[in-house]
Amino acid sequence: DGEAVGRRLASDGEAVGRRLASDGEAVGRQAGGHDELTAYDATRLGAMLVAGDVSAEQVTRAHLDRIAAHDSDIHAFLTVLGDEAIAQAREVDRRRAAGEVVGRLAGIPVAVKDVLCTRGLPTTCGSRILEEHRPPYDATVVARLRAADAIVLGKTNLDEFAMGSSTENSAYGVTRNPWDLGRVPGGSSGGSSAAVAAHFAPLAIGTDTGGSIRQPAALCGVVGMKPTYGRVSRYGLIAFASSLDQAGPFGRTVADTAHAYAAIAGHDPMDSTSIPEPVGDVLTGLDGGVEGLHVGVVTETLDDVEPGVAGRVREGAELLGKLGAEIVEVSLPHARYGIAAYYLIAPSEASSNLARYDGVRYGLRADGDTTEQMMAATRSAGFGDEVIRRIMIGTYALSAGYYDAYYVSAQRVRTLIIADYRQAFARCDVVLSPTSPSTAFEIGAKTDDPLAMYLNDVFTVPASLAGLPALSMPAGVDEAGLPVGVQLVAPLLDEPVLFTVAQALETEIGFEPVPSGANSVHPPGRPRANAQTGEQGHR
């Protein structure tokens, strides 16, 4: 009897110990355990902050600690605002505790692409020519993030002046893909997409000229959205191609991305291209479903893509059909000329915009005996090869004797692509296609072949030329376990339907990509996903 009692007491003690350990772990999570906090998306973090389960300072410190621990492997950030971010978070906590009204993103960390001006802080555009540049004002996007009480963690790496598709063109080093550190994260907003994928920040801001939000979102397994041209202010966005540049959000979920879009969108009198119409509500109808909607599949886009990419697009169409959408085939016959048109229009505008970097007014200045020699020396020292290549192409296309043959012809193709979309939207509410023809490629694989690099944007450029809202979202993984993105494009100013369809597809897929390879930086607090099926990544 004594031995039995002893065993029973030992067993009870072991059970109590397990329960206490479990309770302690739960309390630790509620109190803001670092691993748990960086694993949560922005929507979940927002709910925890409102409920008082965690403080903005705890959330911010958790993300800053993760950046400190892992960004040396990825190089997503050019500048990290440690003390400044903590001060912002403490102020949010103070105001919330005092019962004051706080913004829609109060306490949520966000990373900002280093092409958007930040007052008194480095804004380099990934270029040596702006190495010491500190703007005296905030870009409107940054000002609106601050007004929403988001916590700006820092500035992210990019292809120099947003010219690239791999974030290998930065003057400050290559950014690596959290899924496989030997592969690119896409570009030019690769730093922002990598920051979200590596759980350095639940939200990030990038810019999209020909696909520079959507393509890296696809390659990093996150959601990335380009708004209608003019829907988000370009004031303080350092220009590459003014008729194409557009800032937009990254998030780990469609809902996160919609909340970030709602915070930064809207008319801005400081931007002459800003659309004055009110922004539609993208949040109320987010879970409205796709019953009765028409989804157009651009069938010609599936011919020249990797099998794993084409398969995910077809599966996406099938799932939307099961949810009640009608799937129709649409064609964009002039989209095949989009790359050629884009790489005349964008470099031409870049040639004009980058003429301001002359060593006289701001930025780098190299010595020269004459003004011309000083300007030449400054630009040679300050610009990288890709920027020089595009300035030369643009200057040539705009030169006397070639303007009509190249630039004007490209603008005519742009008009034809706009007409193609108009005809497609007469039959459907959104257009579904691949985001990129391939998954993430190895670092260095395309640096010696500019044309091969440019073709990464073959599916994203048409929507940019037409000024349409477009979104890339994760749709699973390919045979190698790398994320695949699918793209949705909506009519002008119809961001609400874009987010609604994306939310329905995300819910049905039920897949949350988690970097899983031996050479990856996987998120904390999560099991590694099966490289083939992503099984452990399902919600």
Side-chain angles (χ1 to χ4, degrees), residues 346-371:
S348 295
E349 296 183 11
S351 172
S352 175
N353 280 322
L354 271 62
R356 70 193 70 182
Y357 304 107
D358 54 11
V360 176
R361 285 162 285 192
Y362 44 75
L364 178 70
R365 178 171 183 165
D367 291 332
D369 293 335
T370 67
T371 301

Side-chain angles (χ1 to χ4, degrees), residues 3 24 203 212 235 239 284 303 320 433 457 476:
E3 184 178 349
L203 297 175
S212 289
Y235 179 71
T284 301
D303 296 335
L320 289 171
S433 73
D457 300 329

Side-chain angles (χ1 to χ4, degrees), residues 65-195:
D65 287 349
R66 181 158 175 82
I67 292 167
H70 296 291
D71 196 40
S72 59
D73 295 325
I74 294 174
H75 191 43
F77 285 89
L78 295 179
T79 302
V80 178
L81 306 177
D83 292 340
E84 297 92 333
I86 294 296
Q88 291 177 49
R90 287 174 176 169
E91 177 61 14
V92 169
D93 287 335
R94 183 198 66 76
R95 290 170 52 209
R96 197 191 295 271
E100 298 178 19
V101 176
V102 294
R104 68 166 69 236
L105 298 179
I108 303 297
V110 60
V112 176
K113 185 177 180 179
D114 199 29
V115 74
L116 288 154
C117 289
T118 42
R119 181 165 57 88
L121 300 171
T123 302
T124 69
C125 294
S127 178
R128 292 293 179 195
I129 210 161
L130 286 176
E131 189 168 7
E132 302 298 327
H133 182 49
R134 283 168 170 73
Y137 66 98
D138 278 335
T140 295
V141 168
V142 176
R144 288 180 176 173
L145 288 172
R146 297 192 193 282
D149 290 318
I151 310 300
V152 178
L153 294 179
K155 307 294 289 295
T156 57
N157 198 16
L158 68 152
D159 287 297
E160 185 178 7
F161 281 99
M163 299 182 191
S165 302
S166 63
T167 317
E168 295 174 280
N169 294 326
S170 172
Y172 304 102
V174 174
T175 295
R176 298 175 180 274
N177 193 318
W179 285 75
D180 183 337
L181 299 179
R183 296 178 183 269
V184 303
S188 63
S189 305
S192 290
S193 63

